[in-house]
């Protein structure tokens, strides 16, 4: 019929639209997300991390008891319907303390990661962009910090600022632990950012911007940073889990977070002398640390593979 649209035309238009959608250029982020959605390990790790974050933000949703709840009549009792993870030697509900301890452990991991990424990224991008003497100087400084054994370095730093028998405040000790972890970990982020910057600054559009007289801040923030930040963020995701484990290690050694702060590391430290008699005191907080660290490592591995063109 004149002026009408036939069913063949409609079908042809639909096929054309589908073909155009299929051949539409996709961004790196779009390709990465499409790949990640198909990885069960990424989905599982993301769900675990989301649950841990929710526990840290709103622990009262998961436990009706505060972290300081104590009933000495039930001290050392194992898991039961009344206390899912049992009671410790002081009558504390292990489940309640595990739930409330997620916040301090996660805060240390998050802030240590942010500080590590900031220091490493700034130093790395400056070293990679300017090169020569600046690169050599910053790289040697990074090598000095990287050569320090992590546990030994953290012990030295924390015991230097806290004399034996001292009792620093809650905020003070958390800040000290965060700074100690970042001070010993930033060289890795610096090396990653430096390597990415050395590659990115040789790209044509960066050379063109420099030739047109663009200022150094504009080149760094507009052209270099967007193309170098991805590998550092992947490292940060993996490092966050490692830093949660580092918090537990330092607390176990008695130089990290300590009471009255409740964290998974503090609980592990308190339970170390009672493992043979009351293993539940240590197994549950240690299990939460292990699962959380593993989730962050799996998440980081998935993101790294998705952002790596060679993996496709």
């Amino acid at each position: 019929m004149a002026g009408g649209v036939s069913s063949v035309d409609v079908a042809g238009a639909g096929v054309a639209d589908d073909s155009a959608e299929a051949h539409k250029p996709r961004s790196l982020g779009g390709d990465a997300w499409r790949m990640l959605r198909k990885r069960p390990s990424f989905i599982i790790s993301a769900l675990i991390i989301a649950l841990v974050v929710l526990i840290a933000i709103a622990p009262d949703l998961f436990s009706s008891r505060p972290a300081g709840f104590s009933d000495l009549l039930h001290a050392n009792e194992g898991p039961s319907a009344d206390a899912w993870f049992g009671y410790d030697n002081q009558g504390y509900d292990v489940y309640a303390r595990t739930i409330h301890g997620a916040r301090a452990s996660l805060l240390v991991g998050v802030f240590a990661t942010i500080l590590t990424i900031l220091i490493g990224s700034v130093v790395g991008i400056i070293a990679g962009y300017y090169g020569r003497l600046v690169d050599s100087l910053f790289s040697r400084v990074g090598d000095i910090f990287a050569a320090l054994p992590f546990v030994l370095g953290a012990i030295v730093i924390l015991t230097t600022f806290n004399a034996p028998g001292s009792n620093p405040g809650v905020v003070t000790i958390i800040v000290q632990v965060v700074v100690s972890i970042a001070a010993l970990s930033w060289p890795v982020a610096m090396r990653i950012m430096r390597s990415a910057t050395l590659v990115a600054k040789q790209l044509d559009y960066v050379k063109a911007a420099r030739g047109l007289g663009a200022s150094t801040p504009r080149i760094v923030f507009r052209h270099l940073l967007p193309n170098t930040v991805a590998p550092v963020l992947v490292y940060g995701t993996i490092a966050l889990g490692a830093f949660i484990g580092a918090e537990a290690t330092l607390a176990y050694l008695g130089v990290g977070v300590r009471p009255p702060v409740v964290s998974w590391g503090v609980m592990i430290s308190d339970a170390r002398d009672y493992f043979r008699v009351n293993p539940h005191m240590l197994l549950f907080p240690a299990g939460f640390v292990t699962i959380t660290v593993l989730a962050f490592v799996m998440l980081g591995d998935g993101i790294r593979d998705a952002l790596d063109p060679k993996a496709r």
Side-chain angles (χ1 to χ4, degrees), residues 67 97-98 100-105 257-264 266-267:
R97 288 174 67 82
T98 302
H100 288 274
R103 178 175 297 175
S105 297
V257 178
R258 64 195 69 174
V261 180
V262 179
S263 74
W264 294 335
V266 171
M267 295 182 64

Side-chain angles (χ1 to χ4, degrees), residues 226-246:
N227 293 280
T228 56
V229 72
V232 180
L233 292 180
V234 172
Y235 162 74
T237 304
I238 299 175
L240 201 160
F243 293 160
I244 292 175

Side-chain angles (χ1 to χ4, degrees), residues 6-27:
S6 66
S7 60
V8 176
D9 294 335
V10 174
V15 172
D17 291 341
D18 294 340
S19 178
E21 182 68 22
H23 293 86
K24 183 179 179 180
R26 296 180 303 200
S27 65

Side-chain angles (χ1 to χ4, degrees), residues 198-309:
L198 289 174
V199 174
K201 76 174 186 178
Q202 300 299 328
L203 298 176
D204 292 338
Y205 64 86
V206 177
K207 293 181 178 179
R210 188 184 298 116
L212 292 173
S215 63
T216 297
R218 179 179 177 82
I219 294 175
V220 170
F221 291 102
R222 184 70 180 271
H223 301 291
L224 290 180
L225 193 59
N227 293 280
T228 56
V229 72
V232 180
L233 292 180
V234 172
Y235 162 74
T237 304
I238 299 175
L240 201 160
F243 293 160
I244 292 175
E247 179 276 324
T249 301
L250 295 176
Y252 181 84
L253 295 174
V255 296
V257 178
R258 64 195 69 174
V261 180
V262 179
S263 74
W264 294 335
V266 171
M267 295 182 64
I268 294 173
S269 177
D270 292 341
R272 59 186 173 184
D273 296 330
Y274 305 94
F275 177 70
R276 292 185 178 181
V277 180
N278 301 309
H280 64 275
M281 289 175 54
L282 187 143
L283 291 178
F284 288 109
F288 270 69
V289 171
T290 303
I291 293 173
T292 303
V293 172
L294 181 61
F296 277 107
V297 171
M298 291 170 57
L299 185 72
D301 286 342
I303 296 175
R304 180 191 59 196
D305 294 340
L307 293 177
D308 185 4

